[in-house]
Amino acid sequence: VTGNLDCSQNSLRSVEGITPLIGGSLNCSYNTIRDLTDFPKVAKSIDLSNNRIRTLSNLPTVVEGDFDCSHNPLISLSGCPKIVNGQFTCVHTTIKTLEGGPEEVKESYLCSKNPQLKTIMGAARKIMGSFVCKESPIESLEGGPEWVGENYYCQSTKIQTMQGCAAHIGKSLNCSSCELYTLEGCP
């Protein structure tokens, strides 16, 4: 397929039998996919949201566009692409840590609304867009990004201090509705 492949909103349980090369983007969202065996080489964005994926495997190391693995019962980000040249989204999963996730994100890194995520340890160190970890039970900003090009949103978490917050935030910082007792550690 030289362009995009959209097989969203079906009853697919795997990507077995898919074409080995996609020149554009792949959208497999809203299926019942559990198995990523035979995952194709994709030139641009990958959308695996709203499936039943527990583990990420057989994925490309580099994604030239966006990568979305939201709304899956993921237990880990291990196996995730290491470089995402677009936006990385892992919202509404069951991950407990960001370890194993992408090391480099060119646009925004969205990891909010993960009910078991207590640490942002393992997030990409430099994020060109926004970093959004709001509405999760995160207890510390330690180990998160050091440099954020746009916004840093950590509101509605359980953080008590700003220790570990990015040293550089290009636009807005929102730490409202947390359990803060000090602003020590703010950039």
Side-chain angles (χ1 to χ4, degrees):
V1 177
T2 57
N4 300 328
L5 174 59
D6 187 340
C7 54
S8 63
Q9 300 184 35
N10 281 292
S11 299
L12 297 174
R13 291 178 291 208
S14 76
V15 292
E16 187 176 354
I18 197 168
T19 182
L21 179 61
I22 298 168
S25 296
L26 172 63
N27 183 350
C28 291
S29 64
Y30 292 94
N31 278 288
T32 58
I33 296 172
R34 291 185 168 136
D35 183 14
L36 297 175
T37 302
D38 295 333
F39 201 84
K41 180 174 172 36
V42 179
K44 297 201 176 146
S45 298
I46 298 171
D47 188 346
L48 297 173
S49 64
N50 295 283
N51 277 287
R52 296 183 182 162
I53 302 166
R54 291 185 52 75
T55 59
L56 299 170
S57 59
N58 304 312
L59 296 171
T61 306
V62 178
V63 173
E64 291 303 327
D66 301 335
F67 180 79
D68 190 343
C69 57
S70 297
H71 297 275
N72 277 293
L74 289 173
I75 57 173
S76 164
L77 290 179
S78 184
C80 196
K82 294 299 164 204
I83 299 172
V84 177
N85 287 320
Q87 178 171 283
F88 173 71
T89 310
C90 64
V91 175
H92 281 287
T93 70
T94 53
I95 58 172
K96 295 179 181 177
T97 177
L98 300 177
E99 291 177 349
E103 296 168 0
E104 191 175 314
V105 176
K106 297 285 188 206
E107 291 181 17
S108 294
Y109 191 121
L110 311 175
C111 58
S112 59
K113 298 182 181 179
N114 285 300
Q116 297 181 38
L117 185 64
K118 293 187 177 182
T119 176
I120 57 172
M121 188 81 62
R125 307 310 289 156
K126 185 175 184 179
I127 298 167
M128 301 306 289
S130 296
F131 179 68
V132 183
C133 62
K134 65 183 183 176
E135 299 173 29
S136 295
I138 296 164
E139 297 171 346
S140 171
L141 299 179
E142 298 286 344
E146 296 172 354
W147 195 94
V148 175
E150 293 183 9
N151 306 303
Y152 193 114
Y153 296 141
C154 58
Q155 69 264 34
S156 300
T157 61
K158 295 186 179 232
I159 60 169
Q160 294 183 343
T161 74
M162 296 300 292
Q163 293 295 336
C165 187
H168 170 82
I169 298 171
K171 290 187 180 176
S172 300
L173 168 63
N174 187 336
C175 56
S176 64
S177 300
C178 294
E179 298 178 9
L180 291 170
Y181 62 85
T182 178
L183 292 175
E184 264 186 69
C186 269

